[in-house]
Every structure is written in C-alpha cells, then in structure tokens.
Amino acid sequence: MRKGPKQGTETEYRGVKYRSKWEVYIAKLLLYSDLRSKYEPKRFFLTRFLSYLPDFYLPDFNTYLEVKGVLNDKDRKILEAFSKQEKIVYFGKKQLAYVYGKPASYLSKIDIVNHIPTKKEVNRFKELLHYLMNKE
C-alpha cells in the first residue's frame, strides 16, 4: 500500500496553532525579520469544487507564502492555478535547508518552539524571500 505525503506535526507558537513545525520556523523567521504576516488569512475558491488556504500572507508585499516539504501533483496544480490570481512564493525542503544551513531533516530534530533563529538564518531567509518574490 502506497502512503501519501507525510502530514506535519501540529505545533502551537505564540498562541497560534500551526499545521507543521516548518510553518512555525517560517513564522519565527518572519517575526525575527520584522516582516508583517498573517497565518492562513483567507480561503480561496479556485473552482466550484477546489479551494486553497495559503499558509501566510505578507501584506507589505501583497504576497502569499506556502510552506510544504514536498509538492505532489495535486499541490503543484493548486499552486499553479492560485498563482494566476495572486502572487505566491513557495518554500520547500531546498529553501528551508538553505536558510537553516543544514539538510531540512535537521529541522525535525530540533525543538522548534524554543529555537531562536540565528542572525545568519534570518539574513538567509530575507535574501531568499526577496529573490523568490522578484523572480519571474
């Protein structure tokens, strides 16, 4: 029997329940970067039977941010359809590994709630976010 993608571990941080530890890590990076954000602010109906709830909204950039370790075909199609309506940036394993400075698998081993992003992590995050938002 084939398994689907692994679901995230629901984690609470600063009174918000996030669906995964990686979302908590991004929330912390946004906070330490002094970037305003809203978590799961609005559900979008892409078709009559298909909706999408982006992870974060960055109001100062009018950009949505999706955090997902692995994109399956359905996720890819949803992001493609959504990107025709709104600006969206995707953070996956490669992007998280770049920011953290180690393979993304290390993130699952740290106490993410008590982890304080280093200055280097914050700078890498801001640099990569800026690049992804301006990439065409």
Side-chain angles (χ1 to χ4, degrees):
M1 176 183 252
R2 186 171 177 222
K3 292 182 178 180
K6 184 179 173 189
Q7 297 297 311
T9 303
E10 190 175 273
T11 305
E12 188 169 332
Y13 173 66
R14 297 183 70 145
V16 177
K17 286 186 181 179
Y18 293 90
R19 296 175 194 260
S20 75
K21 289 182 176 185
W22 288 4
E23 289 178 357
V24 172
Y25 184 55
I26 294 296
K28 285 184 159 202
L29 289 167
L30 289 164
L31 177 68
Y32 281 81
S33 298
D34 293 322
L35 296 173
R36 291 187 317 132
S37 67
K38 295 178 183 178
Y39 180 66
E40 293 187 341
K42 178 181 174 184
R43 180 171 295 279
F44 291 85
F45 293 90
L46 304 175
T47 69
R48 187 172 168 197
F49 302 104
L50 181 66
S51 68
Y52 172 59
L53 182 61
D55 294 326
F56 295 93
Y57 176 63
L58 310 177
D60 295 331
F61 302 99
N62 193 30
T63 299
Y64 290 87
L65 177 60
E66 180 66 29
V67 182
K68 195 171 288 291
V70 178
L71 282 181
N72 60 33
D73 287 339
K74 181 182 176 186
D75 295 331
R76 197 172 274 105
K77 288 176 184 175
I78 289 171
L79 285 177
E80 189 177 298
F82 184 73
S83 69
K84 293 177 183 175
Q85 297 177 17
E86 301 284 343
K87 188 171 183 180
I88 187 161
V89 170
Y90 163 71
F91 261 72
K93 280 186 178 181
K94 288 181 182 177
Q95 291 79 15
L96 289 164
Y98 171 78
V99 171
Y100 190 58
K102 293 182 180 178
S105 60
Y106 276 71
L107 281 175
S108 63
K109 296 174 185 166
I110 64 171
D111 178 4
I112 202 71
V113 174
N114 294 312
H115 174 72
I116 297 172
T118 65
K119 199 176 243 187
K120 190 173 190 177
E121 288 171 77
V122 171
N123 288 337
R124 284 179 172 180
F125 173 72
K126 290 183 346 187
E127 172 188 285
L128 184 56
L129 184 62
H130 178 76
Y131 168 78
L132 293 171
M133 285 192 301
N134 293 301
K135 187 173 100 171
E136 300 208 9

